[in-house]
Amino acid sequence: MLNKRFLFVLFALFSMTSSNAAESNSNTKATSEVKLGTRNNPFKIAIVPSGQAAKALDSAKPVAKCIEQKSKIFVDVQVPNSYIAVVEAIGAQKADLAFGDIVSFLIAKKRFNAEPFLEITRYGSTSYQSAIFVKANSNIKSVSDLNNKKFAYSDASSASSYIYPAILMKKNNKKFAQELATGSMDASIIALMQGQVDATAAYYNNKDPVTGKENDARVRVENIYPNIYKETRIIWLSSLIPNEPVYLRKGVSEDIKQKLAVAIPECIKEFPKYINNISELNPITADNKNYENFVKEVETSGLDISNIFSKK
């Protein structure tokens, strides 16, 4: 159902990254001759925000300053306007480390040998789920009821908003009558509340162990809809999806890796949730198979993505 749009986005991404990477070779040659992490060639961190870019940049500044102080490495923080831009930057060596999403990581890994570096913990968990939301008074009770309904999703590269609902519908041989790409999970939930669509999908995290409140995308519009949790309900939850890794471009020196593997987690601990609601980071161990399992689940789902993800 959503395969063609998904493939189109990723095909465009691949085409852009290939041409941009080749184009940037001459531009990056001069800076590559200057030692990475120095004042004239700072270590470049790209952050794709879950909210507004300007706020994300301001929020990341104290974290960047902390990283510099602890690692003795000069850092420059960038906020690209999309996950596609992050992959392009990694491939062109215009970014050395990325806070992206899991799909952009997998594409960067396939195209440019990017490597997972740090595992993210949010709300006490290293994973999350995809949830499908409807209004509380909706007659949609199950997946079968989604057939021929209007559906909103944020972005074609989103596992929770797009990929897992697509897998679900394909497995159940159901189709949406209309799919609305909103550009953000906030906008998708607002579209649901305004009656533009019958259902939407977004991330869902474990309930807060203290308050018992559900930590999902609805909280992002709670200031607009104070009763959002009463006025909506969840009809489906996916299997666990690994949190996106913080990932590195190919070729970063072991010396820098070692310094940042200590500095970044310490700074995130000092400034929790300053970057994309991340409360904890830990080095990814060699036996971590979470990302391979994610690829396998998507590849065996029936979605035609054989040309997108490398098979292991």
Side-chain angles (χ1 to χ4, degrees), residues 80-102:
N81 59 10
S82 70
Y83 293 115
I84 291 176
V86 169
V87 176
E88 291 175 351
I90 286 290
Q93 296 189 23
K94 292 181 179 179
D96 303 302
L97 178 144
F99 288 81
D101 71 344
I102 191 168

PDB file of all heavy atoms in Angstrom, residues 80-102:
ATOM      1  N   PRO A  80      20.616  19.614  10.396  1.00  0.00           N
ATOM      2  CA  PRO A  80      20.073  19.479   9.036  1.00  0.00           C
ATOM      3  C   PRO A  80      18.552  19.456   9.072  1.00  0.00           C
ATOM      4  O   PRO A  80      17.937  19.172  10.108  1.00  0.00           O
ATOM      5  CB  PRO A  80      20.632  18.129   8.571  1.00  0.00           C
ATOM      6  CG  PRO A  80      21.825  17.890   9.447  1.00  0.00           C
ATOM      7  CD  PRO A  80      21.457  18.481  10.776  1.00  0.00           C
ATOM      8  N   ASN A  81      17.947  19.729   7.927  1.00  0.00           N
ATOM      9  CA  ASN A  81      16.483  19.849   7.912  1.00  0.00           C
ATOM     10  C   ASN A  81      15.758  18.542   7.648  1.00  0.00           C
ATOM     11  O   ASN A  81      14.529  18.513   7.583  1.00  0.00           O
ATOM     12  CB  ASN A  81      16.044  20.897   6.883  1.00  0.00           C
ATOM     13  CG  ASN A  81      16.512  20.556   5.479  1.00  0.00           C
ATOM     14  OD1 ASN A  81      17.000  19.458   5.236  1.00  0.00           O
ATOM     15  ND2 ASN A  81      16.364  21.490   4.559  1.00  0.00           N
ATOM     16  N   SER A  82      16.504  17.438   7.480  1.00  0.00           N
ATOM     17  CA  SER A  82      15.849  16.159   7.233  1.00  0.00           C
ATOM     18  C   SER A  82      16.814  15.016   7.486  1.00  0.00           C
ATOM     19  O   SER A  82      18.026  15.204   7.569  1.00  0.00           O
ATOM     20  CB  SER A  82      15.343  16.075   5.785  1.00  0.00           C
ATOM     21  OG  SER A  82      16.440  15.981   4.896  1.00  0.00           O
ATOM     22  N   TYR A  83      16.252  13.810   7.588  1.00  0.00           N
ATOM     23  CA  TYR A  83      17.089  12.623   7.735  1.00  0.00           C
ATOM     24  C   TYR A  83      17.903  12.383   6.466  1.00  0.00           C
ATOM     25  O   TYR A  83      19.025  11.886   6.515  1.00  0.00           O
ATOM     26  CB  TYR A  83      16.208  11.406   8.025  1.00  0.00           C
ATOM     27  CG  TYR A  83      15.527  11.466   9.374  1.00  0.00           C
ATOM     28  CD1 TYR A  83      14.140  11.556   9.482  1.00  0.00           C
ATOM     29  CD2 TYR A  83      16.273  11.452  10.550  1.00  0.00           C
ATOM     30  CE1 TYR A  83      13.513  11.617  10.718  1.00  0.00           C
ATOM     31  CE2 TYR A  83      15.652  11.506  11.793  1.00  0.00           C
ATOM     32  CZ  TYR A  83      14.286  11.589  11.866  1.00  0.00           C
ATOM     33  OH  TYR A  83      13.672  11.653  13.093  1.00  0.00           O
ATOM     34  N   ILE A  84      17.334  12.729   5.328  1.00  0.00           N
ATOM     35  CA  ILE A  84      18.049  12.594   4.065  1.00  0.00           C
ATOM     36  C   ILE A  84      19.313  13.443   4.089  1.00  0.00           C
ATOM     37  O   ILE A  84      20.387  13.000   3.679  1.00  0.00           O
ATOM     38  CB  ILE A  84      17.144  12.995   2.882  1.00  0.00           C
ATOM     39  CG1 ILE A  84      16.031  11.966   2.687  1.00  0.00           C
ATOM     40  CG2 ILE A  84      17.946  13.149   1.601  1.00  0.00           C
ATOM     41  CD1 ILE A  84      15.032  12.331   1.612  1.00  0.00           C
ATOM     42  N   ALA A  85      19.189  14.662   4.588  1.00  0.00           N
ATOM     43  CA  ALA A  85      20.338  15.564   4.658  1.00  0.00           C
ATOM     44  C   ALA A  85      21.429  15.016   5.571  1.00  0.00           C
ATOM     45  O   ALA A  85      22.623  15.211   5.328  1.00  0.00           O
ATOM     46  CB  ALA A  85      19.892  16.941   5.136  1.00  0.00           C
ATOM     47  N   VAL A  86      21.032  14.314   6.629  1.00  0.00           N
ATOM     48  CA  VAL A  86      22.020  13.705   7.524  1.00  0.00           C
ATOM     49  C   VAL A  86      22.823  12.634   6.791  1.00  0.00           C
ATOM     50  O   VAL A  86      24.046  12.573   6.887  1.00  0.00           O
ATOM     51  CB  VAL A  86      21.334  13.094   8.765  1.00  0.00           C
ATOM     52  CG1 VAL A  86      22.317  12.224   9.548  1.00  0.00           C
ATOM     53  CG2 VAL A  86      20.819  14.182   9.671  1.00  0.00           C
ATOM     54  N   VAL A  87      22.119  11.769   6.051  1.00  0.00           N
ATOM     55  CA  VAL A  87      22.803  10.710   5.302  1.00  0.00           C
ATOM     56  C   VAL A  87      23.753  11.317   4.276  1.00  0.00           C
ATOM     57  O   VAL A  87      24.890  10.856   4.104  1.00  0.00           O
ATOM     58  CB  VAL A  87      21.781   9.781   4.615  1.00  0.00           C
ATOM     59  CG1 VAL A  87      22.495   8.739   3.759  1.00  0.00           C
ATOM     60  CG2 VAL A  87      20.919   9.092   5.664  1.00  0.00           C
ATOM     61  N   GLU A  88      23.298  12.358   3.594  1.00  0.00           N
ATOM     62  CA  GLU A  88      24.158  13.043   2.624  1.00  0.00           C
ATOM     63  C   GLU A  88      25.405  13.582   3.302  1.00  0.00           C
ATOM     64  O   GLU A  88      26.520  13.463   2.778  1.00  0.00           O
ATOM     65  CB  GLU A  88      23.395  14.197   1.968  1.00  0.00           C
ATOM     66  CG  GLU A  88      22.275  13.765   1.043  1.00  0.00           C
ATOM     67  CD  GLU A  88      21.489  14.960   0.519  1.00  0.00           C
ATOM     68  OE1 GLU A  88      21.706  16.086   0.999  1.00  0.00           O
ATOM     69  OE2 GLU A  88      20.649  14.769  -0.371  1.00  0.00           O
ATOM     70  N   ALA A  89      25.225  14.199   4.466  1.00  0.00           N
ATOM     71  CA  ALA A  89      26.355  14.786   5.183  1.00  0.00           C
ATOM     72  C   ALA A  89      27.344  13.717   5.632  1.00  0.00           C
ATOM     73  O   ALA A  89      28.567  13.916   5.559  1.00  0.00           O
ATOM     74  CB  ALA A  89      25.846  15.582   6.386  1.00  0.00           C
ATOM     75  N   ILE A  90      26.837  12.584   6.090  1.00  0.00           N
ATOM     76  CA  ILE A  90      27.714  11.482   6.500  1.00  0.00           C
ATOM     77  C   ILE A  90      28.508  10.977   5.296  1.00  0.00           C
ATOM     78  O   ILE A  90      29.716  10.745   5.371  1.00  0.00           O
ATOM     79  CB  ILE A  90      26.883  10.336   7.118  1.00  0.00           C
ATOM     80  CG1 ILE A  90      26.404  10.716   8.524  1.00  0.00           C
ATOM     81  CG2 ILE A  90      27.695   9.040   7.170  1.00  0.00           C
ATOM     82  CD1 ILE A  90      27.480  10.776   9.587  1.00  0.00           C
ATOM     83  N   GLY A  91      27.826  10.811   4.167  1.00  0.00           N
ATOM     84  CA  GLY A  91      28.504  10.314   2.962  1.00  0.00           C
ATOM     85  C   GLY A  91      29.520  11.289   2.414  1.00  0.00           C
ATOM     86  O   GLY A  91      30.542  10.886   1.862  1.00  0.00           O
ATOM     87  N   ALA A  92      29.277  12.590   2.570  1.00  0.00           N
ATOM     88  CA  ALA A  92      30.175  13.619   2.043  1.00  0.00           C
ATOM     89  C   ALA A  92      31.227  14.041   3.066  1.00  0.00           C
ATOM     90  O   ALA A  92      32.009  14.946   2.800  1.00  0.00           O
ATOM     91  CB  ALA A  92      29.358  14.840   1.622  1.00  0.00           C
ATOM     92  N   GLN A  93      31.229  13.384   4.223  1.00  0.00           N
ATOM     93  CA  GLN A  93      32.143  13.724   5.321  1.00  0.00           C
ATOM     94  C   GLN A  93      31.954  15.166   5.794  1.00  0.00           C
ATOM     95  O   GLN A  93      32.886  15.804   6.280  1.00  0.00           O
ATOM     96  CB  GLN A  93      33.607  13.466   4.922  1.00  0.00           C
ATOM     97  CG  GLN A  93      33.900  12.005   4.653  1.00  0.00           C
ATOM     98  CD  GLN A  93      35.380  11.712   4.467  1.00  0.00           C
ATOM     99  OE1 GLN A  93      36.233  12.461   4.933  1.00  0.00           O
ATOM    100  NE2 GLN A  93      35.693  10.629   3.783  1.00  0.00           N
ATOM    101  N   LYS A  94      30.736  15.650   5.665  1.00  0.00           N
ATOM    102  CA  LYS A  94      30.396  16.961   6.213  1.00  0.00           C
ATOM    103  C   LYS A  94      29.794  16.819   7.608  1.00  0.00           C
ATOM    104  O   LYS A  94      29.535  17.812   8.282  1.00  0.00           O
ATOM    105  CB  LYS A  94      29.415  17.678   5.274  1.00  0.00           C
ATOM    106  CG  LYS A  94      30.045  18.064   3.946  1.00  0.00           C
ATOM    107  CD  LYS A  94      29.048  18.783   3.056  1.00  0.00           C
ATOM    108  CE  LYS A  94      29.700  19.197   1.732  1.00  0.00           C
ATOM    109  NZ  LYS A  94      28.740  19.885   0.828  1.00  0.00           N
ATOM    110  N   ALA A  95      29.574  15.583   8.004  1.00  0.00           N
ATOM    111  CA  ALA A  95      29.184  15.259   9.372  1.00  0.00           C
ATOM    112  C   ALA A  95      29.978  14.030   9.782  1.00  0.00           C
ATOM    113  O   ALA A  95      30.176  13.108   8.980  1.00  0.00           O
ATOM    114  CB  ALA A  95      27.692  14.987   9.471  1.00  0.00           C
ATOM    115  N   ASP A  96      30.443  14.028  11.019  1.00  0.00           N
ATOM    116  CA  ASP A  96      31.249  12.912  11.514  1.00  0.00           C
ATOM    117  C   ASP A  96      30.434  11.973  12.392  1.00  0.00           C
ATOM    118  O   ASP A  96      30.741  10.787  12.489  1.00  0.00           O
ATOM    119  CB  ASP A  96      32.445  13.446  12.312  1.00  0.00           C
ATOM    120  CG  ASP A  96      33.300  14.395  11.491  1.00  0.00           C
ATOM    121  OD1 ASP A  96      33.792  13.970  10.422  1.00  0.00           O
ATOM    122  OD2 ASP A  96      33.460  15.565  11.896  1.00  0.00           O
ATOM    123  N   LEU A  97      29.414  12.513  13.023  1.00  0.00           N
ATOM    124  CA  LEU A  97      28.554  11.726  13.914  1.00  0.00           C
ATOM    125  C   LEU A  97      27.133  12.230  13.758  1.00  0.00           C
ATOM    126  O   LEU A  97      26.920  13.430  13.572  1.00  0.00           O
ATOM    127  CB  LEU A  97      29.032  11.861  15.359  1.00  0.00           C
ATOM    128  CG  LEU A  97      28.227  11.140  16.448  1.00  0.00           C
ATOM    129  CD1 LEU A  97      29.161  10.609  17.539  1.00  0.00           C
ATOM    130  CD2 LEU A  97      27.193  12.081  17.077  1.00  0.00           C
ATOM    131  N   ALA A  98      26.174  11.317  13.837  1.00  0.00           N
ATOM    132  CA  ALA A  98      24.780  11.712  13.588  1.00  0.00           C
ATOM    133  C   ALA A  98      23.826  11.193  14.650  1.00  0.00           C
ATOM    134  O   ALA A  98      23.920  10.044  15.086  1.00  0.00           O
ATOM    135  CB  ALA A  98      24.331  11.218  12.218  1.00  0.00           C
ATOM    136  N   PHE A  99      22.917  12.081  15.040  1.00  0.00           N
ATOM    137  CA  PHE A  99      21.725  11.706  15.787  1.00  0.00           C
ATOM    138  C   PHE A  99      20.603  11.715  14.754  1.00  0.00           C
ATOM    139  O   PHE A  99      20.000  12.755  14.493  1.00  0.00           O
ATOM    140  CB  PHE A  99      21.434  12.726  16.893  1.00  0.00           C
ATOM    141  CG  PHE A  99      22.384  12.695  18.060  1.00  0.00           C
ATOM    142  CD1 PHE A  99      23.620  13.327  17.988  1.00  0.00           C
ATOM    143  CD2 PHE A  99      22.035  12.055  19.238  1.00  0.00           C
ATOM    144  CE1 PHE A  99      24.494  13.325  19.063  1.00  0.00           C
ATOM    145  CE2 PHE A  99      22.901  12.043  20.325  1.00  0.00           C
ATOM    146  CZ  PHE A  99      24.136  12.671  20.241  1.00  0.00           C
ATOM    147  N   GLY A 100      20.351  10.567  14.129  1.00  0.00           N
ATOM    148  CA  GLY A 100      19.329  10.497  13.091  1.00  0.00           C
ATOM    149  C   GLY A 100      18.189   9.599  13.515  1.00  0.00           C
ATOM    150  O   GLY A 100      17.773   9.602  14.670  1.00  0.00           O
ATOM    151  N   ASP A 101      17.678   8.785  12.584  1.00  0.00           N
ATOM    152  CA  ASP A 101      16.699   7.770  12.941  1.00  0.00           C
ATOM    153  C   ASP A 101      17.228   6.427  12.470  1.00  0.00           C
ATOM    154  O   ASP A 101      18.265   6.343  11.826  1.00  0.00           O
ATOM    155  CB  ASP A 101      15.318   8.080  12.352  1.00  0.00           C
ATOM    156  CG  ASP A 101      15.264   7.891  10.838  1.00  0.00           C
ATOM    157  OD1 ASP A 101      16.333   7.813  10.202  1.00  0.00           O
ATOM    158  OD2 ASP A 101      14.153   7.848  10.298  1.00  0.00           O
ATOM    159  N   ILE A 102      16.528   5.355  12.792  1.00  0.00           N
ATOM    160  CA  ILE A 102      17.063   4.030  12.510  1.00  0.00           C
ATOM    161  C   ILE A 102      17.139   3.748  11.010  1.00  0.00           C
ATOM    162  O   ILE A 102      18.068   3.089  10.538  1.00  0.00           O
ATOM    163  CB  ILE A 102      16.249   2.930  13.237  1.00  0.00           C
ATOM    164  CG1 ILE A 102      16.994   1.596  13.151  1.00  0.00           C
ATOM    165  CG2 ILE A 102      14.833   2.830  12.683  1.00  0.00           C
ATOM    166  CD1 ILE A 102      16.440   0.540  14.065  1.00  0.00           C
TER     167      ILE A 102
END
